[in-house]
């Protein structure tokens, strides 16, 4: 089969599969009692991932270089990275909620690459001299994978803010370091231990306390119990979250933290590799090119996120806001600066 025809078929197939997968994940969120939808969503993501991997492999064979030289290839590599990180996160968390936020973003990126970019930008062309280096694969691929992981982690943080309605709630600790694994107002009791009526929790604890349940013979199972108080409510406060919504928020916070923790080292390695390549190609490790400047800003934003969680023990709304900011910054770094057509990284994009 002609490789060009194969690529045209695969990019359209990837978009169609991601669109259907998005509908499956949204249907699963709306009708959680249909368990087969979760398996269908995972299968759809895996098939789309395979289609995009085949597309990139075909372009690699056709052009003779790693397919990261123009915007079309870059967007599909980014989408492939997002679906890969999605599959890792979903496998580790056993939560279909990851796909609710990642599937539409992956679908939109594939749609933009397939339907919006002109045909001349989708065609493989000879590399410009600056890109004829092994560093093309070593630097750009790592940067794109870091963008994928950081985007997925930031999307889950945005989903956390939506689930919690922006409330400043306390969560069971998932951050490590100083301030991590705090009690956060929860009270844990062993099985068969006499439990007295707890004191009224503070507003930031969301009106819930966590107890260790021994009724089912499993002393390691923790459940959420609503704590009631006879004291009148004198100060208007936000409506407390349900136990299911709070458990969902904890899951999103936990997965987001770990995915960003995966993407940040990749971003660091990619920036270092880019500096070495820049010195080889342009004679300077760092020239404050717009792309380099925004890569540094991206690094600082997510470094602040991880510092706040590991050192300060932040959890919940504040780090989620930082991660949501990082989502915007990543897109500016990846795509926004290239809209200007200025700087050393402007080749192969819009202008």
């Amino acid at each position: 089969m002609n490789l060009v025809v194969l690529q045209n078929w695969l990019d359209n197939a990837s978009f169609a599969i991601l669109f259907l997968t998005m509908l499956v994940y949204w249907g699963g969120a709306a009708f959680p009692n249909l368990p087969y939808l979760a398996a269908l969503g995972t299968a759809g993501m895996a098939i789309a991932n395979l289609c995009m991997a085949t597309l990139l492999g075909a372009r690699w064979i056709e052009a003779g270089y790693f397919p990261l030289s123009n915007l079309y290839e870059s967007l599909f590599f980014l989408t492939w990275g997002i679906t890969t990180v999605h599959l890792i996160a979903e496998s580790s968390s056993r939560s279909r909620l990851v796909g609710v936020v990642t599937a539409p973003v992956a679908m939109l990126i594939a749609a933009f690459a397939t339907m919006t970019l002109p045909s001349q930008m989708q065609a493989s062309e000879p590399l410009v001299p600056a890109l004829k280096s092994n560093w093309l694969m070593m630097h750009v691929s790592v940067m794109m994978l870091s963008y994928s992981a950081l985007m997925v982690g930031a999307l889950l943080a945005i989903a956390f803010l939506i689930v919690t309605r922006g409330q400043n709630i306390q969560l069971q600790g998932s951050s490590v370091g100083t301030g991590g694994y705090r009690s956060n107002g929860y009270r844990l009791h062993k099985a068969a231990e006499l439990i007295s009526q707890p004191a009224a929790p503070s507003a930031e604890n969301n009106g819930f306390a966590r107890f260790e349940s021994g009724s089912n013979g499993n002393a390691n199972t923790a459940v959420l119990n609503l704590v009631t108080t006879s004291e009148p409510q004198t100060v208007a406060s936000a409506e407390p979250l349900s136990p299911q919504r709070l458990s969902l928020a904890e899951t999103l916070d936990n997965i987001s933290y770990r995915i960003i923790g995966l993407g940040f080292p990749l971003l660091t390695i990619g920036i270092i590799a880019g500096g070495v390549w820049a010195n080889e190609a342009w004679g300077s490790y760092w020239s404050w090119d717009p792309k380099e400047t925004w890569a540094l800003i991206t690094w600082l934003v997510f470094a602040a996120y991880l510092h706040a969680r590991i050192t300060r023990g932040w959890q919940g709304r504040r780090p989620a806001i930082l991660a949501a900011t990082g989502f915007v910054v990543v897109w500016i770094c990846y795509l926004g600066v290239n809209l200007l057509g200025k700087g050393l990284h402007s080749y192969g994009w819009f202008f």
Side-chain angles (χ1 to χ4, degrees), residues 6-7 13 65 77 91 100 112 120-121 139 152 175-176 180 189 202 229 261 272 294 338 349:
L6 177 63
Q7 293 168 35
Y65 56 81
F77 191 90
S91 175
V100 174
F112 176 71
Q120 61 267 25
M121 292 191 67
H139 163 63
V152 172
S175 301
V176 296
H189 298 268
S202 62
T229 176
I272 294 173
W294 278 98
N338 297 100
W349 297 81

Side-chain angles (χ1 to χ4, degrees), residues 2-332:
N2 189 313
L3 289 179
V4 175
V5 175
L6 177 63
Q7 293 168 35
N8 292 335
W9 184 87
L10 285 172
D11 60 7
N12 286 283
S14 299
F15 162 72
I17 294 170
L18 287 171
F19 178 73
L20 294 175
T21 302
M22 178 191 70
L23 296 180
V24 168
Y25 274 114
W26 286 4
F31 304 100
N33 294 326
L34 300 176
Y36 63 88
L37 289 180
L40 281 177
T42 303
M45 274 292 192
I47 294 171
N49 181 276
L50 181 61
C51 286
M52 287 180 286
T54 306
L55 166 64
L56 294 170
R59 290 184 72 91
W60 194 349
I61 295 173
E62 178 195 6
Y65 56 81
F66 194 71
L68 274 175
S69 64
N70 59 27
L71 182 59
Y72 176 82
E73 296 169 347
S74 176
L75 286 170
F76 267 105
F77 191 90
L78 177 68
T79 311
W80 175 82
I82 289 175
T83 56
T84 300
V85 174
H86 160 89
L87 292 172
I88 295 172
E90 189 174 63
S91 175
S92 61
S93 66
R94 303 295 179 184
S95 174
R96 73 179 68 178
L97 298 167
V98 181
V100 174
V101 292
T102 58
V105 173
M107 185 272 296
L108 289 173
I109 297 174
F112 176 71
T114 303
M115 303 178 182
T116 305
L117 295 181
S119 57
Q120 61 267 25
M121 292 191 67
Q122 298 184 19
S124 297
E125 296 181 353
L127 290 175
V128 298
L131 295 180
K132 293 180 179 179
S133 171
N134 291 330
W135 286 104
L136 173 65
M137 180 191 301
M138 299 170 66
H139 163 63
V140 183
S141 62
V142 174
M143 290 296 293
M144 297 305 300
L145 288 174
S146 72
Y147 291 161
S148 301
L150 295 176
M151 284 181 183
V152 172
L155 283 169
L156 294 173
I158 294 172
F160 169 87
L161 293 173
I162 295 173
V163 166
T164 60
R165 308 189 194 103
Q167 296 181 30
N168 188 22
I169 64 174
Q170 291 279 346
L171 299 174
Q172 190 74 352
S174 61
S175 301
V176 296
T178 305
Y181 296 105
R182 299 167 299 176
S183 64
N184 291 335
Y186 297 111
R187 300 179 62 188
L188 295 175
H189 298 268
K190 296 180 180 178
E193 181 181 341
L194 180 62
I195 301 176
S196 60
Q197 181 68 23
S202 62
E204 65 177 353
N205 287 339
N206 192 46
F208 291 90
R210 188 180 296 274
F211 298 96
E212 193 170 343
S213 174
S215 59
N216 59 357
N218 181 6
N220 294 322
T221 302
V223 296
L224 286 168
N225 291 329
L226 177 63
V227 178
T228 59
T229 176
S230 58
E231 297 180 5
Q233 295 291 335
T234 57
V235 181
S237 60
E239 179 184 356
L241 303 179
S242 66
Q244 295 81 7
R245 189 177 284 258
L246 183 60
S247 177
L248 171 58
E250 287 185 340
T251 301
L252 291 172
D253 181 75
N254 197 356
I255 303 173
S256 173
Y257 172 46
R258 279 151 179 74
I259 294 298
I260 291 175
L262 170 68
F264 183 76
L266 292 174
L267 178 65
T268 305
I269 295 172
I271 291 176
I272 294 173
V276 176
W277 187 14
N279 183 64
E280 180 181 294
W282 303 317
S284 173
Y285 288 99
W286 194 270
S287 57
W288 294 105
D289 180 73
K291 193 80 165 181
E292 296 172 350
T293 303
W294 278 98
L296 177 61
I297 294 172
T298 304
W299 189 91
L300 291 174
V301 169
F302 286 102
Y305 171 89
L306 292 174
H307 171 76
R309 295 205 64 144
I310 296 173
T311 304
R312 306 295 299 174
W314 282 16
Q315 296 176 84
R317 183 177 66 178
R318 291 184 294 178
I321 292 174
L322 259 180
T325 304
F327 180 77
V328 177
V329 171
V330 168
W331 273 109
I332 294 175

